[in-house]
Amino acid sequence: MSKKMDIVELLHENSRLTDKQISVITGLSEDEVKDIVKSLEEEKVILKYSTLVNWEKTEKEVVRALIDVRVTPQQGQGFNAIAERIGQYNEVKSVSLISGGYDLSVEVEGKTMKEIAIFVAERLAPIDGVLSTTTHFILKRYKQDGVFFTDGPEDKRLVVTP
């Protein structure tokens, strides 16, 4: 694997790593790390640095839902144009093309279930090309991006030593 991919994976796992820490891990100089990170940002490989938050442990009320959307692909654009249009709404956190009975999976965020229901009924469903939607409210998140929101399951594997 290239040093560039090493840096991508390191930052994906922990975006708080400093250039100095990355240089120690990869064996590159700090200047080389800075140049590689800058090029990754310019090439849109690195799009954003973010923090994974357990909102249940804060006072902020957040409701999330996954919406399965069945659409009619547009001539010459397929699913791209409608996916990009859906992605323009502030409530929308992600849009993905999926296989199966639906075409798009849309993750949305709001303050209440009613707010999300109104978004679906008044803004998402009326979009030209949207045939149907099915909304699944996220009641509890157990794991995201490889991180358990609880203490996680107990590791019952035996340790093997040489």
Side-chain angles (χ1 to χ4, degrees):
M1 184 167 15
S2 71
K3 293 292 183 183
K4 199 172 194 177
M5 279 308 300
D6 289 342
I7 292 172
V8 169
E9 289 191 6
L10 287 167
L11 288 172
H12 176 70
E13 189 62 35
N14 181 359
S15 61
R16 295 184 69 191
L17 287 174
T18 65
D19 293 340
K20 184 175 185 170
Q21 290 170 317
I22 295 170
S23 72
V24 169
I25 294 167
T26 62
L28 298 169
S29 71
E30 281 186 64
D31 287 337
E32 289 173 308
V33 170
K34 282 181 181 144
D35 290 343
I36 290 172
V37 170
K38 183 179 178 188
S39 75
L40 290 166
E41 292 168 346
E42 289 170 353
E43 295 166 10
K44 305 274 189 228
V45 173
I46 295 176
L47 300 173
K48 179 181 176 182
Y49 298 90
S50 64
T51 302
L52 182 59
V53 176
N54 184 350
W55 290 109
E56 288 183 15
K57 293 192 175 204
T58 71
E59 65 241 19
K60 182 178 179 183
E61 292 291 323
V62 179
V63 176
R64 288 192 176 78
L66 299 173
I67 305 167
D68 295 330
V69 184
R70 189 173 291 127
V71 302
T72 302
Q74 296 182 340
Q75 184 76 29
Q77 296 178 329
F79 297 102
N80 296 342
I82 198 160
E84 289 172 8
R85 181 164 178 207
I86 291 169
Q88 295 298 312
Y89 291 107
N90 291 333
E91 296 90 341
V92 174
K93 299 303 168 194
S94 70
V95 181
S96 303
L97 181 63
I98 59 173
S99 62
Y102 290 88
D103 304 304
L104 300 174
S105 178
V106 180
E107 184 169 352
V108 297
E109 182 178 287
K111 293 178 184 161
T112 64
M113 290 176 133
K114 184 176 181 179
E115 184 178 287
I116 291 175
I118 290 169
F119 168 76
V120 173
E122 296 180 2
R123 298 171 82 191
L124 181 61
I127 293 175
D128 214 18
V130 171
L131 301 175
S132 66
T133 65
T134 300
T135 302
H136 310 274
F137 286 98
I138 298 173
L139 304 177
K140 181 174 179 66
R141 196 175 298 266
Y142 294 96
K143 185 177 180 180
Q144 181 178 338
D145 295 333
V147 177
F148 279 98
F149 281 67
T150 62
D151 291 334
E154 183 181 337
D155 189 352
K156 295 182 180 181
R157 297 177 292 176
L158 297 175
V159 177
V160 178
T161 57

